[in-house]
């Protein structure tokens, strides 16, 4: 195995690195080759950043290579614009993919030849049934599929039809090429999956040369092999597709053109999503095209173009991805983790300067002459952390701390923040009040003698006395003098939504008929606030890409699109600290939801040991309420930690505390930690719903049966394959033509009726979200 000690490791040890180390140790592969294969049908977002960090990071850690390869097999949705944006984003993140970007379309001829090879082996056939009929013939999770009437076509007939498909003799949907695998397989993906389909559309790279295109499953496995990939890493939703991947390699690898490359193998990791935003390309497009944001690079979006324009550095994104890590389950990441990574990155690269965002004019009545004040760019804590004793200037030069200063002017007229003065100060207010004093940062103390108001009673000016450096004052505020003040626009960006999970909230509030646009009701009206104030003129000498900490206001930089020397525009990259929970109010028209009380007492003060355990549980992603209970209750903690040997603790905590808590406390739990872990993994993978998990737990506790045995006996796995559900959707719509007409006439509330009918036909096992998407598409 290649030693890792000689360089900094990017990706923390995990189950995938264990596999790689064993492969290197055993000689299965001599060099690690991974790939990052985005589809060029949209802009890259933070989810892509995390996935690319895993692919490129693991290759880096083991001295291997990572390919950047566009998965461009769908000409109807892909564009050169998206491919170019993806390449730019990956380059911005700092990834190195060698001498060229690769494209699935580079290999269309080789892929076609491999498809013919499967036909010649009797392992693929041209099918001519409709998509609806194909879905029906595949069967269900409980019943095997039925062979298509075209499944036994001869090799010669299949080869002739496939070549005529390529020649453009048929229209879209008339034929497909399917693998001949196993129509009785419990893995629905193996029931003769589609390998090629007809699409008469212009491809952004190959034009009209092709009118048949490979499916995702066929293209991924074969192009991985052609690219010499050893470890094909993908998100958990493709776990069932791995069987197709392996089947293709069983029958194609080892023969030309795959006779000189290592055999690739697929491994899945949990997908990461982020609070207070959406990463669905469809929903991002709705935000952009609906005018809710100002383009794909709007700094409120989770697109890499957006976070780059906001001012986030790639180092911060890589830091964030490293902290998120890799696990076997999907999870939503606390956005505070991203914000903390951005602050940590900027802390030592962003010089401190002063800016007043909402100015209040102050006249120092007794200051006859301006004073020059030298202010440091860096606070003592950053100076102490400098390994060489030097600190950077905004222009990039490193100098001793005593030289890292700039000159500002204390003049008879200056500006302070409106919030730094109060007529009716709250208790503990340490800024300026009528008759009160405050210290101007490094410039002495002032006392407010009088104030002026406008017709509405708003304070518009202060008259103050300058008391000098030696006077006493409790608080310190920042300021900008009128002699140094440069006008600027400040764009204060905040979280895009008012709730952590806008999509889930929309579904929860309207389970009967959730609308795809419902998530928009949770848009944060304060996600962008534009104010106009002043920044000190020292910044005019700095490179425009300089990031600053505007003292007491947050981290900022000049907007790279709209800012000009004669009209400065600054974007707030991130506030100085998270005040979100205290600042948001309930959106209009939305009642505050009662919070579920934790099932165990939490009023006791934690001991030092309990506090340490509580913090450890929070670090694992366990919600605060459950972490508090676990920190105080030894029995529950031991049960969770035993189950966490096989499943992530964050996926187990709610089940342990809220579902099994009473039984564990009384010593009457009939479910083992291993049994709970297996159930939690199914829940996290989406194979069962939360409702199924709770029902199974209740029955297992009542009967003593293993939870997985109950699921197998009752066939409770959630049905999510669109191809299997399409036939049921069509059946329901055909049975209710009058309701279909009413829905199309505007009675969209009937969506709940249609969903309910499909759910009834599947005994509640269908994934309601998938059903709704299919219905909406069919009813459009």
């Amino acid at each position: 195995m290649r030693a890792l000690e000689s360089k900094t490791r990017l990706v923390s040890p995990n189950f995938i690195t264990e596999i790689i180390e064993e492969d290197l140790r055993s000689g299965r592969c001599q060099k690690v080759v991974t790939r990052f294969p985005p589809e060029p049908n949209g802009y890259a977002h933070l989810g892509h950043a995390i996935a690319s960090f895993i692919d490129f990071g693991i290759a880096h850690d083991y001295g291997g290579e990572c390919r950047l390869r566009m998965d461009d097999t769908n000409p109807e949705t892909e564009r050169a614009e998206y491919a170019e944006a993806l390449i730019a984003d990956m380059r911005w993140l700092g990834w190195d993919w060698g001498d060229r970007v690769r494209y699935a379309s580079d290999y269309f001829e080789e892929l076609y030849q491999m498809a013919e090879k499967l036909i010649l082996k009797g392992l693929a056939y041209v099918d001519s049934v409709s998509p609806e009929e194909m879905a029906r013939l595949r069967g269900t999770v409980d019943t095997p599929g039925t062979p298509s009437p075209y499944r036994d076509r001869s090799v010669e007939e299949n080869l002739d039809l496939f070549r005529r498909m390529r020649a453009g003799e048929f229209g879209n949907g008339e034929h497909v090429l399917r693998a001949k695998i196993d129509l009785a397989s419990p893995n629905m993906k193996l029931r003769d999956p589609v390998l090629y389909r007809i699409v008469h559309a212009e491809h952004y790279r190959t034009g009209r040369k092709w009118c048949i295109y490979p499916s995702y499953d066929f293209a991924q496995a074969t192009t991985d092999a052609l690219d010499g990939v050893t470890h094909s890493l993908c998100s958990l939703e493709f776990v069932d597709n791995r069987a197709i991947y392996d089947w293709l390699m069983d029958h194609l690898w080892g023969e030309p053109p795959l006779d000189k490359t290592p055999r690739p193998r697929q491994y899945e990791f949990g997908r990461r999503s982020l609070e207070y935003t959406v990463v669905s390309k469809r929903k991002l497009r709705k935000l952009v095209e609906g005018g809710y944001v100002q383009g794909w690079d709007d700094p409120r979006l989770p697109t890499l173009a957006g976070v780059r324009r906001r001012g986030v550095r790639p180092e911060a994104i890589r830091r964030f991805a490293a902290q998120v890590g890799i696990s076997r389950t999907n999870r939503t990441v606390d956005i505070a983790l991203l914000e903390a990574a951005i602050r940590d990155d900027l802390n030592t690269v962003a010089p401190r300067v002063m800016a007043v965002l909402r100015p209040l004019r102050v006249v120092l009545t007794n200051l006859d002459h301006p004073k020059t004040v030298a202010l440091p760019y860096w606070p003592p804590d950053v100076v102490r952390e400098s390994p060489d004793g030097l600190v950077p200037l905004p222009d990039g030069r490193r100098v001793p701390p005593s030289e890292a200063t700039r000159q500002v002017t204390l003049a008879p007229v200056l500006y302070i923040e409106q919030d730094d003065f109060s007529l009716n100060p709250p208790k503990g207010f340490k800024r300026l009040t009528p008759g009160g004093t405050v210290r101007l940062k490094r410039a002495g103390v002032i006392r407010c003698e009088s104030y002026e108001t406008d017709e509405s009673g708003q304070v518009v000016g202060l008259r103050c006395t300058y008391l000098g450096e030696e006077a006493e004052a409790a608080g310190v505020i920042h300021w900008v003098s009128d002699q140094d003040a440069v006008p600027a626009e400040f764009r204060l960006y905040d979280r895009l939504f008012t709730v952590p999970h806008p999509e889930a909230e929309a579904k929860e509030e309207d389970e009967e008929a959730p609308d795809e646009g419902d998530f928009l009701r949770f848009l944060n009206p304060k996600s962008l606030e534009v104010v106009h104030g002043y920044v000190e003129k020292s910044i005019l000498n700095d490179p425009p890409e300089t990031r600053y900490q505007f003292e007491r206001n947050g981290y900022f930089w000049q907007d790279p699109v709209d800012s000009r020397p004669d009209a400065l525009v600054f974007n707030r990259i991130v506030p100085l600290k998270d005040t979100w929970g205290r600042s948001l109010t309930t959106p209009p028209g939305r009642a505050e939801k009662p919070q579920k009380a934790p099932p165990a007492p939490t009023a006791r003060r934690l001991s030092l040991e309990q506090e340490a355990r509580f913090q450890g549980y929070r670090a694992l992603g366990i919600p605060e309420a459950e972490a508090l209970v676990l920190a105080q209750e030894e029995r529950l903690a031991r049960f969770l930690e035993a189950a966490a040997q096989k499943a992530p603790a964050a996926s187990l905590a709610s089940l342990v505390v809220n579902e099994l808590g009473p039984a564990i406390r009384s010593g009457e739990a009939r479910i083992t930690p291993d049994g709970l872990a297996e159930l939690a993994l199914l829940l996290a993978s989406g194979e069962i719903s939360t409702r199924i998990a709770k029902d199974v737990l209740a029955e297992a506790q009542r009967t003593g049966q293993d939870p997985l045995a109950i699921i197998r006996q009752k066939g409770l796995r959630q049905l999510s394959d669109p191809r299997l559900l399409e036939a049921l959707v069509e059946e329901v719509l055909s049975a209710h033509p009058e309701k279909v007409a009413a829905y199309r006439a505007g009675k969209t509330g009937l969506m709940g009726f249609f969903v309910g009918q499909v759910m009834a036909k599947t005994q509640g096992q269908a994934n309601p979200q998938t059903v709704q998407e299919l219905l909406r598409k069919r009813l459009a």
Side-chain angles (χ1 to χ4, degrees):
M1 183 182 71
R2 186 182 298 272
L4 296 173
E5 291 75 12
S6 60
K7 62 181 178 182
T8 302
R9 184 167 194 157
L10 295 181
V11 181
S12 298
N14 57 79
F15 70 99
I16 290 177
T17 61
E18 290 175 2
I19 291 170
I20 288 174
E21 289 170 11
E22 178 56 34
D23 286 346
L24 291 169
R25 188 180 299 112
S26 66
R28 188 187 83 76
C29 70
Q30 304 301 314
K31 179 180 180 179
V32 174
V33 179
T34 60
R35 88 286 183 269
F36 178 60
E39 185 179 356
N41 64 354
Y43 283 75
H45 51 65
L46 288 168
H48 292 103
I50 295 171
S52 70
F53 179 85
I54 294 170
D55 291 318
F56 283 95
I58 284 179
H60 164 274
D61 290 348
Y62 292 93
E65 297 178 21
C66 181
R67 321 288 197 211
L68 175 61
R69 186 180 73 229
M70 297 295 142
D71 175 23
D72 55 349
T73 59
N74 188 351
E76 294 179 304
T77 62
E78 295 158 356
R79 290 194 231 155
E81 170 197 351
Y82 295 140
E84 291 163 4
L86 283 161
I87 294 168
D89 287 338
M90 293 303 108
R91 187 171 287 120
W92 175 74
L93 282 173
W95 305 138
D96 177 14
W97 49 80
D99 58 351
R100 66 186 177 98
V101 176
R102 296 158 192 258
Y103 298 82
S105 54
D106 289 340
Y107 304 116
F108 278 172
E109 184 60 46
E110 290 89 338
L111 269 55
Y112 174 83
Q113 295 301 329
M114 283 188 267
E116 282 205 352
K117 185 173 293 187
L118 290 175
I119 293 173
L120 291 168
K121 290 182 174 184
L123 297 173
Y125 63 98
V126 174
D127 200 358
S128 308
V129 299
S130 68
E132 294 78 13
E133 179 69 0
M134 189 184 304
R136 187 187 69 80
L137 291 174
R138 274 205 172 93
T140 69
V141 291
D142 297 319
T143 59
T146 302
S148 162
Y150 305 103
R151 195 173 194 259
D152 292 326
R153 276 174 165 156
S154 67
V155 168
E156 293 75 19
E157 186 180 3
N158 284 318
L159 200 59
D160 175 66
L161 283 169
F162 190 48
R163 289 172 177 173
R164 290 167 63 194
M165 286 168 60
R166 175 177 180 169
E169 292 186 24
F170 307 110
N172 292 350
E174 284 191 55
H175 305 287
V176 295
L177 182 70
R178 297 176 68 180
K180 187 183 288 187
I181 305 181
D182 182 3
L183 289 171
S185 173
N187 182 349
M188 300 295 292
K189 299 285 186 182
L190 287 179
R191 297 190 183 182
D192 290 11
V194 172
L195 303 181
Y196 265 87
R197 76 275 191 212
I198 301 171
V199 182
H200 288 279
E202 185 162 349
H203 191 280
Y204 75 100
R205 293 188 76 236
T206 62
R208 295 279 179 178
K209 179 178 179 181
W210 293 88
C211 61
I212 58 171
Y213 291 89
S215 66
Y216 168 86
D217 287 316
F218 185 70
Q220 282 299 304
T222 50
T223 52
D224 280 351
L226 288 166
D227 272 340
V229 171
T230 58
H231 297 80
S232 179
L233 312 179
C234 61
S235 52
L236 197 61
E237 70 233 56
F238 298 106
V239 62
D240 288 339
N241 301 63
R242 189 199 322 148
I244 305 175
Y245 194 105
D246 291 341
W247 183 88
L248 288 166
M249 290 301 96
D250 286 344
H251 295 290
L252 292 172
W253 183 75
E255 303 176 16
L258 305 182
D259 53 338
K260 297 179 181 178
T261 62
R263 173 169 173 157
R265 299 186 185 277
Q266 176 178 304
Y267 303 96
E268 306 85 23
F269 55 84
R271 180 193 287 268
R272 298 291 182 260
S273 55
L274 191 65
E275 291 181 338
Y276 295 100
T277 192
V278 293
V279 293
S280 157
K281 290 177 183 175
R282 185 176 63 254
K283 290 182 171 61
L284 290 174
R285 189 173 292 110
K286 183 181 287 288
L287 288 168
V288 173
E289 294 176 354
Y292 300 99
V293 294
Q294 298 167 2
W296 288 100
D297 65 344
D298 189 299
R300 291 168 290 181
L301 288 180
T303 57
L304 295 188
V307 299
R308 182 165 64 246
R309 182 172 176 182
R310 186 164 179 161
V312 177
R313 302 199 319 151
E315 292 86 347
I317 301 301
R318 296 198 298 269
R319 181 194 295 255
F320 168 64
Q323 292 170 342
V324 167
I326 305 176
S327 72
R328 297 179 186 269
T329 56
N330 299 328
R331 74 179 177 94
T332 301
V333 180
D334 187 340
I335 197 171
L337 186 65
L338 171 62
E339 293 168 345
I342 296 170
R343 290 189 198 97
D344 289 345
D345 173 63
L346 293 173
N347 183 50
T348 56
V349 300
R352 277 55 166 174
V353 301
M354 294 192 293
V356 175
L357 278 53
R358 300 172 179 86
L360 176 62
R361 190 171 185 266
V362 176
V363 176
L364 301 181
T365 58
N366 64 331
L367 187 67
D368 298 327
H369 304 288
K371 293 176 55 177
T372 300
V373 181
L375 294 183
Y377 279 117
W378 300 102
D381 63 314
V382 174
V383 173
R384 285 194 298 270
E385 292 176 9
S386 173
D388 58 1
L390 303 177
V391 290
L393 292 175
D395 63 10
R397 292 181 294 123
R398 296 184 66 82
V399 297
S402 60
E403 298 179 24
T405 63
R406 80 279 187 197
Q407 303 295 314
V408 298
T409 305
L410 177 63
V413 178
L414 54 87
Y415 300 98
I416 66 172
E417 296 284 356
Q418 293 175 11
D419 290 346
D420 284 341
F421 175 78
S422 177
L423 289 174
N424 301 293
K427 185 178 180 180
F429 189 77
K430 295 182 179 181
R431 287 163 280 170
L432 201 55
T433 60
T437 60
V438 75
R439 182 174 295 278
L440 301 176
K441 186 174 181 67
R442 291 183 176 263
V445 176
I446 62 173
R447 181 176 63 233
C448 178
E449 308 294 353
S450 63
Y451 59 89
E452 303 170 28
T453 61
D454 61 15
E455 294 178 356
S456 67
Q458 177 76 28
V459 176
V460 294
L462 305 179
R463 295 180 68 81
C464 298
T465 300
Y466 180 67
L467 302 179
E469 295 280 356
E470 304 304 322
E472 296 293 330
V476 180
I477 63 174
H478 63 279
W479 53 278
V480 176
S481 74
D482 67 340
Q483 293 190 20
D484 287 346
V486 178
E489 176 181 298
F490 302 93
R491 296 175 179 174
L492 309 181
Y493 292 104
D494 214 326
R495 299 173 184 181
L496 187 55
F497 292 92
T498 58
V499 294
H501 313 290
E503 296 164 287
E505 286 277 351
K507 291 173 188 171
E508 184 178 334
E509 287 198 355
D510 194 0
E511 269 186 45
E512 290 298 314
D515 185 273
E516 187 174 301
D518 283 353
F519 74 101
L520 295 172
R521 78 177 75 166
F522 301 118
L523 279 171
N524 177 16
K526 297 181 179 179
S527 63
L528 171 58
E529 183 180 3
V530 179
V531 296
H532 294 85
Y534 302 103
V535 62
E536 63 178 71
K537 67 181 182 182
S538 67
I539 63 98
L540 297 177
N541 300 319
D542 302 335
E545 67 274 10
T546 304
R547 277 89 169 167
Y548 301 98
Q549 185 189 111
F550 289 163
E551 300 206 42
R552 300 174 63 229
N553 277 314
Y555 291 97
F556 289 75
W557 86 324
Q558 289 190 51
D559 184 277
V561 177
D562 296 335
S563 189
R564 306 188 309 274
D566 61 336
L568 298 178
V569 177
F570 285 92
N571 295 338
R572 183 170 67 185
I573 305 169
V574 68
L576 289 182
K577 59 182 178 180
D578 181 11
T579 57
W580 181 259
R582 295 188 295 277
S583 65
L584 268 186
T585 57
T586 303
R590 182 166 181 257
E592 193 74 54
K593 287 188 177 181
Q595 296 298 311
K596 184 177 180 181
T602 60
R604 301 195 305 269
R605 179 174 294 177
L606 298 181
S607 66
L608 290 177
E609 180 182 353
Q610 289 172 336
E611 178 64 28
R613 287 168 58 185
F614 171 76
Q615 295 298 338
Y617 289 136
R618 292 291 286 137
L620 293 173
I622 295 175
E624 182 175 359
E626 284 80 6
L628 197 57
V629 174
L630 291 163
Q632 297 177 86
E633 299 204 33
E634 190 70 33
R635 280 191 173 184
L636 269 62
R638 285 201 303 268
F639 193 99
L640 175 107
E641 287 161 11
Q645 299 300 310
K646 291 191 174 180
S651 68
L652 296 161
S654 179
L655 298 175
V656 170
V657 173
N658 298 313
E659 307 303 325
L660 295 179
I664 296 172
R665 292 187 189 100
S666 64
E668 298 175 353
R670 304 181 70 183
I671 298 164
T672 66
D674 284 356
L676 182 67
E678 291 170 341
L679 185 73
L681 290 173
L682 286 181
L683 178 60
S685 70
E687 292 188 56
I688 61 173
S689 66
T690 303
R691 181 71 268 160
I692 291 174
K694 291 181 177 180
D695 291 345
V696 168
L697 279 178
E699 182 168 346
Q701 179 61 23
R702 187 175 64 254
T703 64
Q705 280 186 283
D706 178 70
L708 259 64
I710 295 173
I711 290 172
R712 283 194 296 269
Q713 290 168 10
K714 297 191 172 185
L716 294 178
R717 277 182 167 82
Q718 189 164 257
L719 182 58
S720 299
D721 190 333
R723 292 168 296 186
L724 298 176
L725 293 171
E726 282 172 349
L728 294 174
V729 166
E730 187 62 35
E731 185 177 333
V732 167
L733 296 181
S734 298
H736 301 281
E738 72 291 346
K739 286 185 168 57
V740 170
Y743 178 93
R744 289 174 172 160
K747 293 187 177 181
T748 56
L750 286 169
M751 178 61 75
F753 168 83
F754 295 130
V755 172
Q757 292 292 307
V758 178
M759 296 300 291
K761 287 182 175 292
T762 60
Q763 290 79 50
Q765 293 181 44
N767 183 316
Q769 180 181 359
T770 304
V771 171
Q772 181 185 271
E773 290 173 355
L774 292 171
L775 282 164
R776 185 171 289 107
K777 181 178 178 181
R778 181 65 179 79
L779 288 165

